Amino acid sequence: MKEKKAKDTASRAASKRGLIIGTVALVAIIAGAAIAYNVLAPAASSETDQLASNGGTTGSSGDAQADGEEHKLAPDFTMATADGETVSFSQLYGKPVVLNFWASTCGPCQQEMPGFQSAFDEYGSQVQFAMVDVVGFNGETEDRAKRFIAEREYTFPVFFDCEGNASIEYGLTSIPRTFFIDAEGYVIAMGSGMLDESALQRGIAMLL
């Protein structure tokens, strides 16, 4: 009886030690994860303007080989011009395209606009710019967008995603979003979030 009691006591003590060790290990893992997050999170947020090669898109798109890499065909969609005409995005092909989704009700979109104007002034003859306003985003309207463009005297081409076709085809969950598309219509790179002028220049360099 005493021997059994001693074994039970030893077993309970071993279980208790195991529980303590497991708890300490769990705390260490959680602390390590917290430290890793604190280190990595700022780094990740500081790279929101970086370009992703072969920018991912959703919707019906094909695949092709270009320069040894697999690129996705940019989904086509219909959009409205500032004059109210309806055009297909694919009508812009023939030279590289910088496709940017924006809204005047989007702060980061407003902040990156001067950089796009500068790039348009420099590369407008070599690259087609398509600045597509996402109508309905946070109360965005065509009239509000047109006033915003006119007040700031931007001259790059502006289009309007009135029916949400582009937003669906490109799987937009946030804006701004920029796609760099070659003359044949294949996505070379994608920028998620506000692009600084350096990132925008790198994206255009990939096209040229």
Side-chain angles (χ1 to χ4, degrees):
M1 180 67 70
K2 290 183 179 181
E3 183 179 350
K4 181 179 179 181
K5 185 175 181 180
K7 287 182 178 180
D8 290 342
T9 301
S11 178
R12 287 195 297 272
S15 298
K16 186 175 181 180
R17 284 196 301 273
L19 179 60
I20 294 173
I21 292 173
T23 301
V24 171
L26 180 59
V27 170
I29 292 172
I30 293 174
I35 293 172
Y37 176 82
N38 289 330
V39 172
L40 297 177
S45 63
S46 68
E47 294 185 356
T48 55
D49 64 342
Q50 298 305 302
L51 303 178
S53 180
N54 303 320
T57 59
T58 59
S60 55
S61 61
D63 295 323
Q65 293 291 328
D67 299 329
E69 295 183 3
E70 184 179 281
H71 297 294
K72 293 183 178 181
L73 184 64
D76 198 8
F77 61 93
T78 57
M79 55 189 180
T81 67
D83 296 326
E85 298 181 1
T86 300
V87 298
S88 296
F89 176 68
S90 58
Q91 291 179 232
L92 304 181
Y93 298 164
K95 63 180 179 180
V97 182
V98 174
L99 170 63
N100 174 264
F101 291 103
W102 69 282
S104 65
T105 53
C106 161
C109 299
Q110 294 185 26
Q111 294 177 49
E112 70 177 3
M113 284 293 185
F116 278 88
Q117 180 63 54
S118 297
F120 174 71
D121 291 340
E122 183 174 356
Y123 300 104
S125 62
Q126 305 173 64
V127 177
Q128 174 68 55
F129 284 74
M131 309 296 289
V132 180
D133 179 61
V134 182
V135 177
F137 177 85
N138 197 25
E140 176 72 308
T141 65
E142 284 190 60
D143 288 341
R144 179 168 181 165
K146 289 177 180 178
R147 286 198 303 272
F148 171 81
I149 293 297
E151 288 170 359
R152 288 159 179 76
E153 300 182 342
Y154 292 137
T155 58
F156 42 60
V158 175
F159 303 90
F160 299 89
D161 181 25
C162 302
E163 305 298 327
N165 296 321
S167 299
I168 294 173
E169 288 295 328
Y170 283 79
L172 299 182
T173 56
S174 64
I175 55 174
R177 187 73 59 86
T178 307
F179 295 85
F180 297 87
I181 302 168
D182 68 16
E184 286 72 45
Y186 291 96
V187 178
I188 303 303
M190 184 271 287
S192 181
M194 186 183 72
L195 296 185
D196 60 23
E197 292 192 41
S198 175
L200 180 55
Q201 290 282 344
R202 290 199 303 275
I204 294 174
M206 293 179 188
L207 299 177
L208 300 178

